[in-house]
Amino acid sequence: MSLLELNNISYNYDGKKNVIKNVNYSFDKGKVYAITGRSGAGKTTLLSLLSGLTAPTQGEILFNNVNIKKINKYDFRSRYVGVIFQSFNLLPHLNSVENVELSMRASGKKTPNRRQNAEEILKKVCLDDSLAKRRILKLSGGEQQRVAIARAISYEPEIILADEPTGNLDSATQDEIVSIFKSLAHNDGKCVIIVTHSPVVAKAADEIFELAPLK
Amino acid sequence: MIIQNALKSITRCTGRNILIGIIVLVISVASCVALNIKNAAAQAETEGLSNIKITGQISLDRQKMMESFNPEDAASGERNPENFRDMFAENTELSLDQLQTYASSGNVEDFYYISTAALNAADDIEPFSESSSEEASEDTAEAETNNPFAEGMPNGGMPGGQNGGMMQMNQGDFTLTAVASESALTDFINGTSKISSGTIFDVSTADNNCIISSELAAFNGDLAAGDTITLANPSDETETYTLNIVGIYTNTSSTSDSNGMGMRFSTALDPANNIYLSASSLTAIAANSESVGTTSTDDYGRTTSTAITTQTQGTYVFADVDSYNAFGTELTSLGLDENYTLTSNDISSYEASLVPLQNLSSFATTMLLIVLAVGAVILIVINIFSIQQRKYEVGVLTAIGIKKWKVAAQFVTELLCVTLVAVIVGAAISAAVSVPVANTLLANQISSQQTQQQSVNDNFGRGQAPAGMPNAAPNNGGGNPMMGGRGDMFNVLQNADANFVDKINAVTDFYTVLQIILIGVVLTIISSIVAIIFIARYEPLKILANRT
C-alpha cells in the first residue's frame, strides 16, 4: 500500500480548461520524488492538491488508503503534510524558532520542551542559536529556506512537500538542502516530494515524475 | 495557542496596536466622562430630593376647573360668565379642619399652618413704604381701584389658589401672619428672618402679642418691644385692634429692589409690613370682627361681609419624595375633591435648580452616542485596513493548518486585549479628569442658563436681580408665597439668582468601569465582525499564490 496515491486526478480553475488531467501516481515512504515539467505543466497545482490546499475537480487522492476529502483539511495540513513553499511563507514578525514553534502548536502535538525541540530541529538544518532568535527578514534566502524546512518537519509529518526549494540558492547551499531532503527520506523514512526545474535536484531524487503539459 | 499567538502579535506589531489603543483610549475617556456625568446627574436628582425634607400644600387647581367646566347655560346653551363666578365661589380654600384631617395620614411627618389677614393702619402707625407716605396712600388707593382681580370679587380677591391669598391682601396696609407652632415660622428657621430685639410671642396664647419688622419699627419712629400699635379693619375703619409689640425682627428678603416694589400692588405685600402673631390672637380678632361686622348682598346676589377674613394655608412636611407622592395619591381616597391638587415648592424649586445639570446630562448622552458611533466606525475601518494588511498572515496560518475560527479568535483576542488595556487606562485618566471636566461643563451650562434668564429679565425691564435672594433655594422650608412678598410666578421669571446645583460628584466608580469595559467588549465585537467575515472569505492558496 502506497502512502499517497493519485487516482485519475484532474483539476481546473473556475470550470475552465484543465491544468492537469487524469494523473495517476503513487508515492511511498523513504523515497525522494522529483516532480518536473515545463512551466504551466501543473507542478505547483499538483503540489497544492497533494498538500490539501485545494481539492481535485475529478479523481481522488488517497492518504494511507483514505480519501483525503474525508480528512479535515486543516488537520491534514497541520499533522500529516509539511509544505515548504517556494517563497517560504514564514511570518516576518516572528523569529526563526517562533515560526517553528507555531507549526508545532498548530499540529496539536504535546511536546514538553517545545522551545528546546524547535532549536534542535533548527540545528539539524544547520541554523545555530543566534540565527534561531533572529527575525525572519534578517535572514538570508538560504537561511529562510532552512527555517521553512525546519517548520515543515517540526511536527514529524509523514509527507514533506517542497516547491522549488533550491530556486534562489547558490549551488553550495542547493547541495546542502538536497542532502537534508535525502536524509529525511532515507534516514527518517519520510516521503519527500520536490517540485523542481533543477536537473541537479531531479538527478538526486530516487524517482522522477514528469508532468507533460496538456495540449 | 490563540492567546499565545495573540500576545506575541500584540508585542511584535506595536505600531498598529498603539494606534488602535489610542483610539480606544480616546473613546473610553470620552465615554467614561460622559457616563460619569450621566450617573452623577441621575444620582444628584434622586439623592438630592431624598436629602431634603419635602413640604407641600393643597391648593385649588383652577386650570383643571376651567378645563372641566362647561360655561354654557343648560337652558339657553349660551356662555354665561356667571357660571364661572359661581364655580369659583363654590370652590374655596380648604378649611383648617379639613387640612388637619388630611394631616393625620401616615405619609405626613409634620403639619403646620399659617393664617393671614390684611388690616389697615390706624392713626398711630403707618405702613412701611419706599415712597413718601402720601404717595404710598395714593398708590394703595390706586391699586385698590385698578386691581383687575379685585373688581366684583368678594373682599377684593379670588378665592382659593396659591396666589389667591396674595391678591386678597391688596386691600390692607399690613399682612398679619398668624402661626400656631414655631415650625410654621419657616423664615426664622431657615435664617431669612431673625429677632433683633425683644422676643418671639407665645404661639399658643391669644394675647395679641406680635413682632414687627425692623424697617416698620424704624419707619414709625423707632417702635420697640413694649410699644403698642393699632390696626383697623380695611372694610370698617372704626373697628380697631391693638397689638402689643414683643419683638423686632430683621428680614433679609425685604431688601429693597426695583423689581419687587414695582410689582407690588399694595404695601401689605412688602415683607416689611408683615406682622407675626399667634394663630389664637388672629382667631380672636377674626371672631370679634365677625360678631361686629355687617353683611350686604351685591348685584350678583352674593353676600359679602365687612368682617375681617382670614386665609389659611397648611403645609405638610414629608420625610421623602415617596411619601409626598403617596400622599398625593392617598388624598383622593381620603375624599379630597379632584379640583384640589398637592403641590410642592421644594420639588419645583429643586427641579428648577437641576435644569443646567439635566442639560449637561443630555449633552453627555449625546456626546456618548456620537463618540460610540464614530468610535465604532473608526475601529471598523482600522480593522478592515488591518485585516487587509494581515492577509498574508491569515494565508500562512491557514496554510500550515490553523483553522480559520482560531485565526479569527486570535485577531479578536488581540483587539480585545488592546481594548481592555486602553479602557482601563482610559478609566484611570477619566477618574482623574471627570470631576473637574464635569464641573467646568456644568459651570458653563449654569452661566448659559443665567445669561438666558438675565436676557429674559432684561426684556421684561426688570434689570439686574439682587444676589442672595432665597426664592429658589431648595431648602427654604416651603417658600410661602404669602410671606415673602413674591409669588411663584416671579420665581419662574426671575430665577437668575436660583441656587442651581453647581457641583456634581462625577467620580469613576466600579459600576462605570464595568459599563466602559462592556462598551469596549461590544465595540470589539462589532469591529471584529468585519474581520471575521474577511477571514472566512480568504483562501490560503489564493493569498499565497497572489503573493508569489
Side-chain angles (χ1 to χ4, degrees):
Chain A
M1 184 184 72
S2 300
L3 179 67
L4 200 61
E5 201 171 330
L6 306 179
N7 285 341
N8 210 24
I9 290 294
S10 298
Y11 186 81
N12 59 56
Y13 290 99
D14 304 326
K16 293 174 186 170
K17 189 184 168 187
N18 281 330
V19 182
I20 54 175
K21 192 176 178 183
N22 301 331
V23 174
N24 292 287
Y25 205 80
S26 57
F27 303 92
D28 293 323
K29 287 180 181 178
K31 283 186 177 176
V32 177
Y33 295 87
I35 300 176
T36 59
R38 288 184 182 175
S39 293
K43 301 187 293 294
T44 301
T45 301
L46 184 61
L47 196 80
S48 299
L49 289 166
L50 291 172
S51 63
L53 282 170
T54 189
T57 47
Q58 194 185 316
E60 59 181 12
I61 301 169
L62 301 178
F63 170 68
N64 283 333
N65 228 17
V66 177
N67 190 337
I68 63 169
K69 270 188 178 175
K70 292 178 182 170
I71 306 170
N72 182 297
K73 59 184 176 182
Y74 292 101
D75 290 343
F76 182 70
R77 291 204 292 263
S78 64
R79 292 175 192 171
Y80 308 120
V81 186
V83 185
I84 300 147
F85 297 95
Q86 189 174 4
S87 52
F88 319 132
N89 290 343
L90 299 166
L91 290 176
H93 63 271
L94 302 180
N95 60 30
S96 308
V97 74
E98 285 167 349
N99 266 283
V100 176
E101 278 185 294
L102 180 65
S103 285
M104 293 166 84
R105 279 202 298 270
S107 71
K109 275 191 177 176
K110 304 274 182 193
T111 317
N113 299 311
R114 188 179 293 130
R115 171 58 62 105
Q116 202 179 331
N117 276 10
E119 284 171 350
E120 279 170 14
I121 291 163
L122 285 168
K123 277 180 189 158
K124 203 171 168 183
V125 294
C126 305
L127 290 172
D128 59 21
D129 285 348
S130 66
L131 291 171
K133 284 168 187 154
R134 199 175 286 180
R135 291 276 184 101
I136 294 301
L137 295 179
K138 291 183 177 171
L139 297 175
S140 69
E143 287 162 346
Q144 287 187 36
Q145 184 67 284
R146 286 189 174 90
V147 176
I149 293 168
R151 184 178 69 177
I153 63 174
S154 62
Y155 46 92
E156 298 177 335
E158 293 176 74
I159 305 158
I160 292 162
L161 302 170
D163 190 5
E164 299 283 6
T166 58
N168 302 317
L169 305 179
D170 57 70
S171 58
T173 313
Q174 184 176 293
D175 290 344
E176 284 174 21
I177 297 294
V178 169
S179 67
I180 290 170
F181 286 137
K182 287 176 82 170
S183 167
L184 285 168
H186 301 151
N187 301 334
D188 300 337
K190 308 292 180 192
C191 171
V192 179
I193 303 168
I194 305 169
V195 169
T196 184
H197 275 117
S198 164
V200 178
V201 176
K203 200 175 174 182
D206 299 315
E207 285 188 27
I208 297 173
F209 173 36
E210 186 167 356
L211 273 174
L214 296 174
K215 289 179 182 176
Chain B
M1 182 183 77
I2 292 167
I3 294 170
Q4 273 182 326
N5 286 354
L7 292 177
K8 201 152 277 176
S9 183
I10 289 168
T11 53
R12 297 294 162 81
C13 306
T14 47
R16 179 185 65 226
N17 292 313
I18 286 172
L19 177 66
I20 292 173
I22 288 170
I23 290 165
V24 176
L25 184 72
V26 171
I27 294 170
S28 63
V29 170
S31 305
C32 203
V33 170
L35 280 173
N36 287 340
I37 290 171
K38 268 176 65 68
N39 293 341
Q43 202 176 6
E45 275 190 67
T46 51
E47 286 186 2
L49 275 178
S50 67
N51 288 336
I52 60 171
K53 275 197 174 180
I54 309 291
T55 57
Q57 286 90 31
I58 297 174
S59 55
L60 200 58
D61 189 347
R62 277 195 228 126
Q63 195 62 38
K64 194 175 178 183
M65 285 172 66
M66 298 278 281
E67 284 167 4
S68 59
F69 183 70
N70 182 7
E72 292 174 0
D73 268 339
S76 64
E78 291 176 2
R79 289 174 68 86
N80 185 355
E82 263 305 282
N83 292 345
F84 271 119
R85 292 181 185 132
D86 290 343
M87 174 184 71
F88 286 124
E90 285 164 13
N91 290 281
T92 56
E93 275 193 277
L94 296 177
S95 68
L96 180 60
D97 287 344
Q98 285 173 300
L99 291 170
Q100 283 173 329
T101 303
Y102 300 126
S104 61
S105 163
N107 291 310
V108 177
E109 193 179 78
D110 190 16
F111 171 76
Y112 57 81
Y113 67 93
I114 57 163
S115 293
T116 51
L119 269 75
N120 271 4
D123 294 338
D124 61 344
I125 188 168
E126 279 185 28
F128 175 83
S129 171
E130 286 188 336
S131 53
S132 72
S133 57
E134 284 173 26
E135 283 173 44
S137 302
E138 283 167 18
D139 287 348
T140 309
E142 199 177 329
E144 283 172 27
T145 51
N146 290 347
N147 182 359
F149 297 103
E151 197 176 350
M153 301 301 275
N155 286 326
M158 293 175 79
Q162 208 162 2
N163 291 320
M166 185 185 77
M167 296 305 178
Q168 203 160 15
M169 297 304 113
N170 291 349
Q171 209 175 18
D173 295 329
F174 300 99
T175 298
L176 266 64
T177 303
V179 297
S181 65
E182 287 186 358
S183 58
L185 291 165
T186 51
D187 276 5
F188 289 85
I189 291 167
N190 66 29
T192 310
S193 298
K194 195 175 180 181
I195 298 283
S196 56
S197 69
T199 182
I200 192 78
F201 50 84
D202 184 349
V203 292
S204 58
T205 55
D207 49 12
N208 279 12
N209 286 348
C210 70
I211 56 171
I212 63 170
S213 72
S214 54
E215 292 101 321
L216 184 62
F219 198 75
N220 287 280
D222 285 333
L223 289 170
D227 292 340
T228 58
I229 53 173
T230 309
L231 305 179
N233 182 346
S235 303
D236 181 1
E237 295 287 342
T238 60
E239 182 190 330
T240 58
Y241 299 93
T242 303
L243 301 181
N244 313 310
I245 301 170
V246 294
I248 309 293
Y249 70 90
T250 52
N251 184 356
T252 53
S253 74
S254 64
T255 307
S256 173
D257 65 87
S258 58
N259 308 323
M261 290 307 291
M263 297 294 282
R264 286 173 193 137
F265 298 116
S266 155
T267 54
L269 294 181
D270 192 320
N273 292 321
N274 195 27
I275 299 170
Y276 290 99
L277 71 168
S278 70
S280 310
S281 299
L282 186 61
T283 305
I285 290 169
N288 181 67
S289 184
E290 182 73 33
S291 64
V292 299
T294 57
T295 56
S296 60
T297 306
D298 65 10
D299 296 342
Y300 299 105
R302 281 190 297 270
T303 304
T304 55
S305 170
T306 59
I308 295 167
T309 55
T310 59
Q311 289 258 324
T312 302
Q313 182 158 23
T315 299
Y316 299 92
V317 181
F318 306 94
D320 49 38
V321 185
D322 291 340
S323 301
Y324 169 80
N325 290 331
F327 183 62
T329 314
E330 189 187 7
L331 280 174
T332 315
S333 61
L334 289 173
L336 182 68
D337 191 280
E338 61 177 11
N339 287 331
Y340 292 89
T341 183
L342 179 68
T343 56
S344 170
N345 285 337
D346 294 327
I347 291 178
S348 50
S349 295
Y350 190 73
E351 282 171 351
S353 74
L354 286 175
V355 168
L357 190 57
Q358 284 165 340
N359 287 345
L360 183 62
S361 177
S362 170
F363 167 74
T365 307
T366 311
M367 186 176 85
L368 179 66
L369 293 176
I370 291 172
V371 164
L372 290 182
V374 172
V377 169
I378 291 173
L379 279 181
I380 288 171
V381 171
I382 286 181
N383 255 326
I384 291 171
F385 280 111
S386 172
I387 290 294
Q388 293 279 4
Q389 275 186 336
R390 300 179 73 178
K391 203 172 177 178
Y392 167 69
E393 190 181 339
V394 176
V396 171
L397 291 172
T398 49
I400 64 172
I402 297 176
K403 293 179 175 73
K404 280 182 180 177
W405 73 262
K406 285 187 177 175
V407 177
Q410 178 195 321
F411 284 20
V412 173
T413 307
E414 282 178 36
L415 191 60
L416 199 60
C417 290
V418 174
T419 302
L420 282 180
V421 171
V423 160
I424 290 166
V425 175
I429 292 172
S430 71
V433 301
S434 262
V435 175
V437 166
N439 284 324
T440 306
L441 289 172
L442 184 59
N444 290 340
Q445 284 290 338
I446 290 171
S447 172
S448 161
Q449 195 73 19
Q450 285 173 334
T451 308
Q452 194 181 347
Q453 285 168 350
Q454 189 57 50
S455 171
V456 172
N457 282 339
D458 289 344
N459 293 343
F460 278 96
R462 285 194 291 266
Q464 181 66 44
M469 298 293 278
N471 55 331
N475 269 323
N476 64 357
N480 189 337
M482 291 188 199
M483 293 165 69
R486 302 197 330 183
D488 272 3
M489 65 177 178
F490 300 112
N491 286 346
V492 173
L493 294 171
Q494 273 188 283
N495 61 356
D497 52 341
N499 290 343
F500 292 125
V501 174
D502 60 353
K503 287 273 186 294
I504 51 168
N505 195 23
V507 293
T508 306
D509 55 11
F510 181 67
Y511 177 64
T512 312
V513 173
L514 277 184
Q515 280 182 309
I516 207 78
I517 288 175
L518 185 67
I519 286 172
V521 171
V522 171
L523 277 182
T524 305
I525 290 168
I526 290 171
S527 55
S528 295
I529 287 171
V530 182
I532 292 166
I533 292 168
F534 271 79
I535 290 169
R537 289 173 54 204
Y538 285 156
E539 282 303 324
L541 184 61
K542 279 187 184 173
I543 296 169
L544 300 179
N546 287 343
R547 187 175 170 88
T548 305

